[in-house]
Structure formats: structure tokens, C-alpha cells
Amino acid sequence: NEAVWRSRYRARAQMEEMHERITSILNTLMPPMVVAQLRSCGPGTLSRLPSHRFESATIAQSDLIGFTQIASKKSPQEVVKFISEIFGRFDSLTDKHRVYKVETVGDAYIAGQADRPLTLENSPLDVVLFALDMVKAAHHWSRKRGQ
């Protein structure tokens, strides 16, 4: 029956779209190696997901000085725009220095390296170089905007 086949086709397409959305969200929220571990878990094993302990980790955190004062004089759209600009620069630096972006909270940007499965390497030097490049990027961004 053609109606049944069409219905199955639509259901399969919706399922594939949902799978792609879930995969995208997972890849945004977690390191690739953790996502791979989750995928390797079989059905019914979610209660036994691996937890990770790290012997060492190196973290860099930024706090934009004057953010509250600047944000109070801008519209919400302008605040989102300039935070997106600066954090976009920081995101590019995470790739360059092979650090993992842990999270952003307000004007704070947190990234670093730790043992596997968070990152492939745990090099304090890479994180320090990342942090120095964050300072340079913020300075360049600020100069470009005349602030």
C-alpha cells in the first residue's frame, strides 16, 4: 500500500533528522572521546556510564573586565553580538591550541586540558599559550571596537 510506504518514509526521515540533532547536541556539549564512549555503551547500560577521574588538569578562565558596565549601556542584542565576537575568537584558539572549551557563563570563558578522554594531551604549556592568545585576542578586539 502506497500510503503505508509514504508514512514509513516520513517516519524514517523524522527519525534520521532527530538522530542528527541529538548527535550535534552531544558533539557540542561533550568532548569527542566521551561521545565515542557513550556510543559504545549498549542498550540498558546508561546506568553504568563511565565517570572519569583526572590526575591533572590545566584550566584557563577569562573574565572580561568592565563587562557589566559596558553591558549596562548596550541593548541585549548588542551584548550578545559582542560576546559572540570575542568568544568566537576564543573558540578558534581552542582549535589552534588543542584545548577543550568547558563552558561559558556570562562573560566567563573556561577551557583547558586534562587526561583522556577530555583531551588527547594534557600540556600546561599549551593552555598557557592559549591563555596568552586569549589576552591578545581580547586586546585586539577591544582596540578594533575603540574601547
Side-chain angles (χ1 to χ4, degrees), residues 73-91:
K73 298 175 183 174
K74 306 277 185 191
S75 72
Q77 294 83 2
E78 290 173 312
V79 173
V80 169
K81 184 177 186 264
F82 84 73
I83 283 288
S84 294
E85 287 174 5
I86 190 82
F87 285 178
R89 291 176 185 229
F90 293 171
D91 288 344

Side-chain angles (χ1 to χ4, degrees), residues 105-118:
V105 178
D107 66 324
Y109 189 101
I110 306 164
Q113 290 183 339
D115 305 323
R116 287 178 178 249
L118 185 67

Side-chain angles (χ1 to χ4, degrees), residues 9-76:
Y9 176 80
R10 282 192 297 270
R12 186 180 317 269
Q14 288 175 340
M15 188 173 67
E16 288 175 7
E17 181 183 340
M18 185 60 68
H19 182 267
E20 288 174 15
R21 290 175 64 195
I22 290 169
T23 299
S24 175
I25 291 169
L26 283 175
N27 289 335
T28 301
L29 296 176
M30 293 183 240
M33 287 182 277
V34 172
V35 173
Q37 282 185 334
L38 288 173
R39 285 199 173 116
S40 69
C41 293
T45 61
L46 289 179
S47 63
R48 298 186 308 270
L49 288 175
S51 69
H52 303 97
R53 290 181 177 224
F54 301 106
E55 292 294 320
S56 62
T58 308
I59 304 295
Q61 178 179 344
S62 74
D63 184 37
L64 301 177
I65 296 173
F67 171 78
T68 304
Q69 181 182 0
I70 293 169
S72 69
K73 298 175 183 174
K74 306 277 185 191
S75 72

